[in-house]
Amino acid sequence: MECVVLAAGEGKRMRPLTARRPKVMLPVANHPMMEHLVLAARDAGITEFVFVVGYGEREVRGHFGDGSCFGIHISYAPQRQQMGTADALRSAQDLITGPFLAMNGDMILTSADIACMIRTPAPCMGTSTTDHPGDFGVVLVENDLVTALEEKSKQPRSNIINAGAYLFTPEIFDLLTRVGLSSRGELELTDALNLLIGERRLRAVPLSTWMDVGYPWDLLDANATLLTALASENYGTVEEGVHLSGPVVIGKGTVVKSGTYIEGPCIIGNNCRIGPHAYIRGATSIGDDCHIGHCTELKNSIVMAGTKIPHFNYIGDSVIGSGCNFGAGTKIANLRHDHAPVRVGEKDTRHTKFGAVIGDNVRFGINCSVNVGSVIGSNAAFAPGSYIKGNFGENSTIQ
């Protein structure tokens, strides 16, 4: 069995976090989201992989290499122009020798569900259910056969959705040659699926666990879910007077200073400085080479590598890029007074608690205030005492 992972897209809905990395390389529980998916497929028994790469190809190749570090073998199929999912899958054709699993690289699945899929006769597709099907194209199913795919609708006829995982035979490549440009100007895999549906040959395989990581707040949900499986490990130095509660992972070279209180689940990378007197609350991931300093509180957040949050800061329910620096007293709000769901631009996050999305290398002066739902592009800089609300593009400056 071979596995094709579609990983060529930027992930525009994740901007500004994808300014320097492809979406599939965004960290969840301190590992790229695609790594969790690939390891789940490996644990289901698959060792031969084809990665379809494009945007950020260097980052993907640099992390995964030939796969030997993960106990697998990886080949790469470049998609030079992102012309849609059918075009992406077709890029892998010359590297496929038999039945194969195909998966979008920006989701989280379990090895048990993947094992179930590869035991099902091809062709089949993984499905999941949702309480907001209007955000997705939905799937109509009779018994175990897919009977129709329905585009996004305000009145969807099903709560079953396409999970973006498929089991195909090489026959699918013949069908892909019959796909024309869609109204979006792309070659869509769903058009090939409709050919199979018309022949009543596409099976549905319900998945027990599925996480679509489409927006920054989805990163927080996936991060919290994956951290529940943590077991405490300490490869660093923990001084006297530190309190650890629940599962906490501390990386090599990291020093946790006296007076710090950490509530798991929490993962801290390598070569970090934590404290003294820091308070880190559950479902928080901190990347390598970070500094979380005196009287700083973090809660339910992702902090990427090299970011400094040195003293008297509060970060709640936020995604922070790499290489950022927070001036003393800078805080991110994460709750509206009316407790309504936070909106980011025009998009409803469906989260009553959500802070901000901050790109890479953003610099804050002392005592800045960041309001709920703010999005800050990479390399932005804010003067001391700035009030920050809304969207700010790359290289923005408030003096």
Side-chain angles (χ1 to χ4, degrees), residues 50-104:
V50 177
F51 290 177
V52 179
V53 291
Y55 179 83
E57 175 181 349
R58 180 181 300 178
E59 286 76 12
V60 177
R61 288 179 181 267
H63 181 80
F64 289 98
D66 64 2
S68 56
C69 290
F70 301 94
I72 58 177
H73 177 262
I74 300 171
S75 301
Y76 292 89
Q79 184 191 19
R80 295 306 178 199
Q81 291 182 307
Q82 277 69 68
M83 288 289 294
T85 49
D87 180 63
L89 187 57
R90 199 162 57 184
S91 300
Q93 180 173 358
D94 293 341
L95 298 171
I96 294 301
T97 61
F100 66 99
L101 187 70
M103 302 189 294
N104 296 336

Side-chain angles (χ1 to χ4, degrees), residues 147-149 151 189-199 202:
T147 58
L149 302 177
E151 292 294 326
L189 178 58
T190 50
D191 289 339
L193 297 179
N194 279 324
L195 296 174
L196 292 171
I197 292 169
E199 298 172 358
L202 185 63

Side-chain angles (χ1 to χ4, degrees), residues 121-352:
C124 66
M125 64 183 293
T127 62
S128 186
T129 57
T130 179
D131 57 2
H132 47 98
D135 287 350
F136 302 90
V138 301
V139 180
L140 303 183
V141 178
E142 292 180 6
N143 298 321
D144 65 342
L145 283 180
V146 178
T147 58
L149 302 177
E150 185 181 83
E151 292 294 326
K152 290 181 183 179
S153 168
K154 293 182 179 179
Q155 295 181 318
R157 293 192 292 160
S158 168
N159 70 337
I160 303 172
I161 58 176
N162 179 356
Y166 314 91
L167 186 68
F168 292 129
T169 66
E171 171 202 21
I172 190 65
F173 297 114
D174 295 329
L175 299 181
L176 293 177
T177 63
R178 296 161 57 184
V179 170
L181 289 177
S182 69
S183 58
R184 298 190 299 178
E186 295 185 348
L187 300 171
E188 310 275 5
L189 178 58
T190 50
D191 289 339
L193 297 179
N194 279 324
L195 296 174
L196 292 171
I197 292 169
E199 298 172 358
R200 297 186 63 82
R201 292 200 293 131
L202 185 63
R203 291 181 173 85
V205 180
L207 305 177
S208 63
T209 301
W210 176 75
M211 285 177 282
D212 174 50
V213 190
Y215 291 94
W217 43 94
D218 296 326
L219 286 170
L220 296 181
D221 293 339
N223 189 63
T225 298
L226 290 174
L227 287 180
T228 59
L230 274 188
S232 293
E233 295 178 292
N234 177 21
Y235 303 100
T237 299
V238 177
E239 294 183 350
E240 286 190 27
V242 172
H243 183 84
L244 305 179
S245 173
V248 177
V249 173
I250 300 170
K252 295 178 181 178
T254 289
V255 177
V256 183
K257 293 184 173 293
S258 182
T260 294
Y261 195 110
I262 303 177
E263 297 174 350
C266 172
I267 185 168
I268 301 170
N270 301 325
N271 303 313
C272 295
R273 289 182 296 142
I274 310 296
H277 306 291
Y279 180 26
I280 301 175
R281 298 164 61 186
T284 293
S285 294
I286 299 169
D288 295 343
D289 304 304
C290 288
H291 177 204
I292 311 300
H294 176 65
C295 291
T296 287
E297 180 178 348
L298 270 61
K299 173 244 178 190
N300 188 42
S301 292
I302 295 173
V303 180
M304 299 186 198
T307 283
K308 316 300 181 188
I309 311 175
H311 34 264
F312 297 103
N313 304 113
Y314 175 76
I315 308 293
D317 304 275
S318 297
V319 183
I320 314 296
S322 61
C324 295
N325 190 76
F326 285 71
T330 292
K331 296 173 174 64
I332 298 178
N334 63 333
L335 180 68
R336 291 167 53 107
H337 284 171
D338 60 5
H339 289 224
V342 174
R343 301 186 73 87
V344 174
E346 297 300 316
K347 188 66 180 177
D348 184 356
T349 68
R350 293 188 174 84
H351 289 62
T352 56

